[in-house]
Each structure stands twice: as structure tokens, then as C-alpha cells.
Amino acid sequence: MSDKNATITFDNQSIDLPILKGTFGDTLIDINPLGKLGDFTYDPGFTSTAACESKITFIDGDRGVLLYRGYPIDQLAEHSDYLEICYLLLNGELPNKEQIKAFTKNVTLHTMVHQQIYQFFNGFRRDAHPMAVMVGVVGALSAFYHDALDITDPKHRETAAYRLIAKMPTIAAMCYRYYNGLPFVQPQNEYSYAENFLHMMFSMPSEKWVSNPVLAKAMDRIFILHADHEQNASTSTVRLAGSTGANPFACISAGIAALWGPAHGGANEAVLNMLHQIGDVSRIPEFLKRARDKNDSFRLMGFGHRVYKNYDPRAKIMRQTCHDVLAEVGVQNDPLFKLAMELERIALEDPYFVEKKLYPNVDFYSGITLSALGIPTNMFTVIFALARTVGWISHWSEMVSDPSFRIGRPRQLYTGAATRDFVSIAKRSS
Ligand code: CMC
């Protein structure tokens, strides 16, 4: 807190509002004292409102900075792996050798799902969207693991975190296998987290599965880059649901539902759909023309970002991984990937995109990478949810373990009808 105050004067009353300063970032005015006057503020979309204090992730969109617990994302993506990032996000510090060993053991202990969940899957239509299945199955976990649902008990919270991190790849892979009529594959704890996911997705009972380190590394990077992103819509949803005291499985399921929307988790899927729509390198100029046209709703998917106005620090890392994967699987000459790379090249030189600082974002490269890994587009948001689970559970845990946490209860600006008396149906006009 700063020693300065802001003062607001309204209806002949003045009130001092404390000024808050975090480690970095903007100065904030604490509007909580306004409640004493019975006044509220109005800020639809939370564009100027910080809803909580957090020590987990920091973003500076103008400078292209993303820090997990103070560590720059590029350093983490280069030198760390997803399970280490999970430990960092949950506990605030990077683990030492013993800590990561114990953490990995605790996670792998929980990679299998309850046998009844297999039957639960059978209740879904085969052609259900994998996100529809995931949101239901994750919510249902609270019906299976109610031995550790006391959110006031730190041990229970820790067990719930292990269970969620461990079971998400298993459930995600089951969603894919069920959709495609393939037999479910049990987790193999000898593999790394990312390898295990690829194994559960793609191995066949009839053939020996061999891990590919380039593809496993790419999967791990995608998980790291999507692990947390501060107070976005799904994380805020998890916090709001959690503020009521709801159990963590229910809260994460709420987060998955929020992520599902095309304005949030659906962008990398939109990139692939756009590439199919463009169809051929020769049609790029036509679509660039449409993207520049104010009267045309077409936008180049995977370009631009609400927060990162100079560049998306995740995109830089994902670009390299994307090229590594394309080379490894030998699809550089596949028309779709050729088209993607040509689009990237032309858009980076196009004056409209350069002037408006519309760089390719992380979803441009992650969409192409996931596709090259053989993952169908309807699984992209499922994978995003898998990776983001640790961010959600870290925020939930941070909130719930704060003794001063209260139920979230936004107010509203009511613009409906004024008070009026009930009219019986016989007297209502037709
Ligand atoms: N294609 C063409 N023009 C664009 C695009 C685009 N992708 N993005 C922005 N513009 C133009 C926009 O028309 C506007 O022009 P003008 O100044 O003439 O009105 C200008 O650039 C600024 O755009 P904006 O709409 O004010 O920017 P925003 O911050 O509201 O939107 C965005 C950000 C990500 C929604 C937008 O860039 C977009 O729709 N991009 C495509 C979808 C996409 O890739 N989304 C994924 C974002 S990454 C998600 C994550 O963090 O995980």
C-alpha cells in the first residue's frame, strides 16, 4: 500500500480511497471503502477492475512480459518441464531434486481414474464434442473422490490438486479415444507427463508405442505456455465458483465451461478452420484484403492480442517448436502447413499488420503444431484445459487458503422496470 490516497467526492460527501501498488504494474485505487457510503462502481467486462490480489502470474502486455512466480516464460519453456512448472505455480518456488521427485511420485500415484468412470463415459453419445464430455467428467470427479473434499484442510486441497493434475491427461485422452471408437489406454508412469499423454492418445494395443522426443518436447511446451495467464475469464470463473466454498472438481469444471467459448479457448481451433477456409497459397492476398476491410467481419485468426500489443512472448517460443515439429514429422510440404508458413511470412511484411502490430500469437503456432502432431481440432480446447488446470487450481488454492476470503458477489446497474403492481391475467392486454 502507498501512503497516498485518492479522494472521491460525490453528493457532498468525500471519501479517501487507498492507493495500492504491487510488485510491478499499474497503481490501483482501492474502491472498497465506497461500500460504506452505499455506493458502487460500474465496470462491465472488468476492464479497469482488479478483482483479487495474487502472487502467481504477472503480465505486461506492452513489454511482452509473462512471468510465472517471477520467472520469465521463455526461461521456463527453455529450461524447465511441465511438472516442474506445476510445482512452481502451486508452491511459489522451483523445487529441489527431492521435492520434484516427491511431487512427481504424488502426481503419478493419481494418474488412473476410478473404474466406474469408464462406465460413465459410455453414457455419452460418441459424436459428443470432447469438451462436452470433459466438462461433465471433471465435474463428476467430486462424486468419486469425496474422501478429500474439505477445502479448509490443506492436505485435502493438496490431494485434490494432485488428482486434477494427474487425471486431466487421462480424461483428455479418453475423450479422444471415445469419440474415435478406440479402446482406452491406461497411463504408464514410466513416461514423462507429456509422453504419457501422447501414449494414451495414440498408442494401439496391437503395436508397440515408441516415444518421439521432439514431439514429446513440443507437447510439454504447449502445456507450459498454457499453464497460467493471470485473471482471464476461466480463472476468474474458477475463483468465483470457489469463493462459495464449492469443491475443487466442481470449480475446475466451471473453468472448463468458461474456457470452451470461442472468445477464450477456441482461438487455435479457429486458426485451423481459417487455413482450411483459405485453402490455397494463391488465395492469401484475397483473404488479407478481406482482413484489412473494415466492412468485412473476417479477421486473420491467430494474429493480434488483447493484452500483448507488441508481441506475444509465448508465440516466439511456440514458433520454434512449431518448425521443429513440422520438420520432424516431415509435413513442411503438406499444402496446409505450407499455406500457414506463407501466411505468416506475408502477414509479417504486410503494412496493415505491421502498422497495427498484429503479430502471430501463441494460438497461431500452437494450432499448427497440434495439427502436425495428429491431434484433431475438436481436441485443441481440451488440451488447453488440461494445461490450464494447474493455473486454475493454483488460483483456487491461493484464494481458499487466504483466511480473509469472502464470497464473490458483483453488483449491477439495474435498468429494468420500476416497481409496479401485479395485474391478473384476465386484465392483461392481449
Ligand atoms: N485481423 C485483422 N485485423 C485485426 C485483427 C486480425 N486478427 N486483430 C485486430 N485487427 C485490427 C482491428 O480491426 C482494429 O482495427 P482498427 O484500429 O482499424 O479498428 C485493430 O486491429 C485493433 O484491433 P482490436 O479489435 O481493437 O484489438 P483487440 O485488442 O480488441 O482484439 C483480438 C484482440 C485478439 C481479439 C484480435 O486481435 C483478434 O480478433 N485476433 C484474431 C483472433 C485470435 O487470434 N485470438 C487469440 C488471441 S490469443 C488468446 C490467448 O491469450 O490465449
Side-chain angles (χ1 to χ4, degrees), residues 226 229 264 267 271 291-292 294 298-309 312 314 352-353 356 358 361-363 384:
H226 290 85
H229 214 224
H264 192 3
V271 170
R292 288 186 223 105
K294 280 215 151 305
F298 176 81
R299 281 191 166 197
L300 224 46
M301 290 294 128
F303 285 78
H305 200 276
R306 170 59 57 85
V307 179
Y308 299 116
K309 288 302 177 196
D312 178 346
R314 303 164 301 170
Y352 173 89
F353 284 84
K356 291 194 184 296
L358 298 170
N361 57 46
V362 67
D363 289 312
F384 192 162

Side-chain angles (χ1 to χ4, degrees), residues 28-258:
L28 306 183
I29 301 169
D30 178 357
I31 56 161
N32 226 266
L34 281 178
K36 288 187 200 135
L37 298 181
D39 294 323
F40 312 117
T41 53
Y42 179 63
D43 181 22
F46 298 106
T47 51
S48 355
T49 298
C52 64
E53 182 186 325
S54 180
K55 293 181 168 52
I56 301 173
T57 293
F58 175 75
I59 301 172
D60 181 337
D62 292 334
R63 292 194 299 129
V65 170
L66 169 60
L67 309 176
Y68 291 167
R69 299 285 191 180
Y71 295 101
I73 191 67
D74 50 332
Q75 292 183 23
L76 293 172
E78 184 68 32
H79 303 295
S80 191
D81 65 38
Y82 183 69
L83 274 189
E84 201 173 57
I85 300 298
C86 290
Y87 185 99
L88 173 69
L89 288 170
L90 282 168
N91 299 294
E93 297 298 335
L94 285 168
N96 62 28
K97 281 185 187 154
E98 285 77 44
Q99 286 166 332
I100 194 63
K101 202 169 155 202
F103 183 78
T104 306
K105 190 165 170 227
N106 279 322
V107 170
T108 51
L109 197 69
H110 292 287
T111 47
M112 287 168 66
V113 293
H114 194 288
Q115 196 61 24
Q116 294 284 113
I117 289 179
Y118 289 87
Q119 292 174 27
F120 200 87
F121 262 81
N122 287 329
F124 290 102
R125 280 173 57 139
R126 288 265 173 205
D127 60 353
H129 193 287
M131 278 299 274
V133 178
M134 178 172 249
V135 81
V137 172
V138 173
L141 291 180
S142 43
F144 290 89
Y145 302 106
H146 41 76
D147 56 323
L149 287 184
D150 178 1
I151 65 161
T152 62
D153 183 334
K155 209 69 212 145
H156 282 206
R157 293 202 296 267
E158 192 182 41
T159 305
Y162 288 140
R163 282 186 168 144
L164 277 157
I165 294 167
K167 292 182 200 309
M168 285 300 274
T170 314
I171 294 169
M174 286 170 81
C175 292
Y176 168 77
R177 308 276 304 197
Y178 185 74
Y179 186 90
N180 290 288
L182 294 165
F184 295 141
V185 176
Q186 292 292 337
Q188 279 300 329
N189 293 341
E190 75 197 68
Y191 293 131
S192 73
Y193 191 88
E195 272 178 330
N196 193 26
F197 174 62
L198 291 174
H199 155 74
M200 289 188 286
M201 286 282 290
F202 296 123
S203 68
M204 292 297 159
S206 45
E207 278 175 37
K208 187 170 162 41
W209 186 76
V210 183
S211 171
N212 178 319
V214 176
L215 308 190
K217 178 85 195 153
M219 201 67 251
D220 195 67
R221 283 237 164 121
I222 290 176
F223 292 160
I224 292 176
L225 298 180
H226 290 85
D228 196 37
H229 214 224
E230 210 227 55
Q231 310 306 325
N232 51 79
S234 58
T235 303
S236 301
T237 301
V238 171
R239 278 188 178 260
L240 196 57
S243 79
T244 68
N247 76 69
F249 301 110
C251 297
I252 300 305
S253 176
I256 297 170

Side-chain angles (χ1 to χ4, degrees), residues 418-428:
T419 314
R420 46 190 171 162
D421 288 325
F422 180 79
V423 180
S424 69
I425 196 161
K427 292 188 179 160
R428 285 175 222 159

